[in-house]
Amino acid sequence: MFGLTKQGFDPNVLKEIYHKSRIKRYVEFLIGTLLVAVAFNLFMRPNNIVSGGVSGVSLITKHIFGLDPSIFIAVVDILLLLVSWILLGKEKTLGSIVGSLLFPLFVKLTENISVYIDIDTSQLLLSAIFGGVLNGLGAGLIFKAGFTLGGTDIINQIISKYAKMSLGNSMLVSDGLIVVSSAFIFGTQRMMYAIIVLYIISVMTDKVVLGISDSKAVYIITNEEDKIKEFVMKGLNHGVTIFKAHGGYTKEYQNVLLCVIPTKDYFRLTAGIHEIDPEAFFVVTDSYEVFGGA
């Protein structure tokens, strides 16, 4: 067992978690890396869609200097690993080593995949959509397994650390500069498709890491507490949890009703709340995992 020690949090918790799911994590990582490489060679590379990252820069250098993308990615990733070791330290760098070495290898192994999978890549919008979905699916598996592909992930961490910037903003800066620079090489149309790809990748990555929400968590503050509680429990056949909250403005204590419902019951619940108490205040959030209960 692990959890809290006499001193507080047990630092071995994450090690235990990773050890128990080690094989699954490596399988997810390998599949994810393969999917990202396939998306690059099947959709991005033939259409010169620069969707950020070192792989995006490799398309620019291939167009200008004729450099092999896989070799360029490998060289840059290794250099970034050295920089990471110096600026970020050993622990931060270890999580990027495997991805930094395997991704360019997978890019090289799949560079002729279009010969075996005959897809008309002349339709840029379809290429952007399917490339983004495939890339996002792969990236989600990689992050879910606890790995990264190195590259600009290292740059983002460095920017975040030394520019005192959030990781999200540092990603926006690095990938944004790469995508915008592609407009000068491949034109603004390709840049716009790259933005579509980036959006799809972010959505797909979240869906893989968090899962698809099939439940909603609803927090309700109402003056008709008993009526709404009965409606949820007897009308919709779902449980209700009640806890006290302290209003920051009013300084008053009031009960908050919490219920978790299937998405299919969302409309019935909100319509019922409005019908019982039009002045009720409620907040609805996605609930990705629900355990326990009747």
Side-chain angles (χ1 to χ4, degrees), residues 205-225:
T205 300
D206 285 344
K207 293 300 182 185
V208 174
V209 173
L210 297 175
I212 298 175
S213 169
D214 57 4
S215 299
K216 303 292 182 184
V218 186
Y219 299 84
I220 310 163
I221 298 177
T222 175
N223 291 323
E224 301 290 349
E225 177 185 325

Side-chain angles (χ1 to χ4, degrees), residues 272-289:
I273 294 173
H274 283 301
E275 182 68 25
I276 297 170
D277 182 8
E279 302 299 320
F281 172 81
F282 61 92
V283 177
V284 182
T285 63
D286 285 320
S287 181
Y288 291 98
E289 294 188 38

Side-chain angles (χ1 to χ4, degrees), residues 158-213:
I158 293 173
I159 294 175
S160 178
K161 179 178 180 180
Y162 290 96
K164 306 302 180 183
M165 188 183 296
S166 71
L167 196 57
N169 286 335
S170 64
M171 290 172 66
L172 184 63
V173 170
S174 61
D175 285 336
L177 287 174
I178 294 170
V179 170
V180 170
S181 66
S182 71
F184 297 96
I185 309 299
F186 302 118
T188 54
Q189 186 185 52
R190 291 295 197 282
M191 182 193 73
M192 289 188 289
Y193 282 113
I195 293 173
I196 293 174
V197 171
L198 280 175
Y199 175 75
I200 295 174
I201 289 174
S202 67
V203 172
M204 282 300 300
T205 300
D206 285 344
K207 293 300 182 185
V208 174
V209 173
L210 297 175
I212 298 175
S213 169

Side-chain angles (χ1 to χ4, degrees), residues 65-127:
F65 304 109
L67 298 177
D68 185 309
S70 60
I71 295 177
F72 176 84
I73 294 171
V75 171
V76 172
D77 280 357
I78 291 173
L79 290 176
L80 287 174
L81 283 174
L82 295 175
V83 173
S84 174
W85 193 280
I86 296 170
L87 298 180
L88 299 177
K90 176 183 175 182
E91 293 299 321
K92 291 279 188 181
T93 306
L94 289 177
S96 301
I97 291 178
V98 180
S100 296
L101 298 177
L102 275 185
F103 179 59
L105 175 62
F106 279 24
V107 169
K108 187 65 178 177
L109 292 175
T110 60
E111 65 180 356
N112 294 320
I113 192 170
S114 59
V115 176
Y116 305 100
I117 302 178
D118 186 18
I119 295 178
D120 180 11
T121 57
S122 62
Q123 299 293 325
L124 286 177
L125 182 58
L126 288 177
S127 293

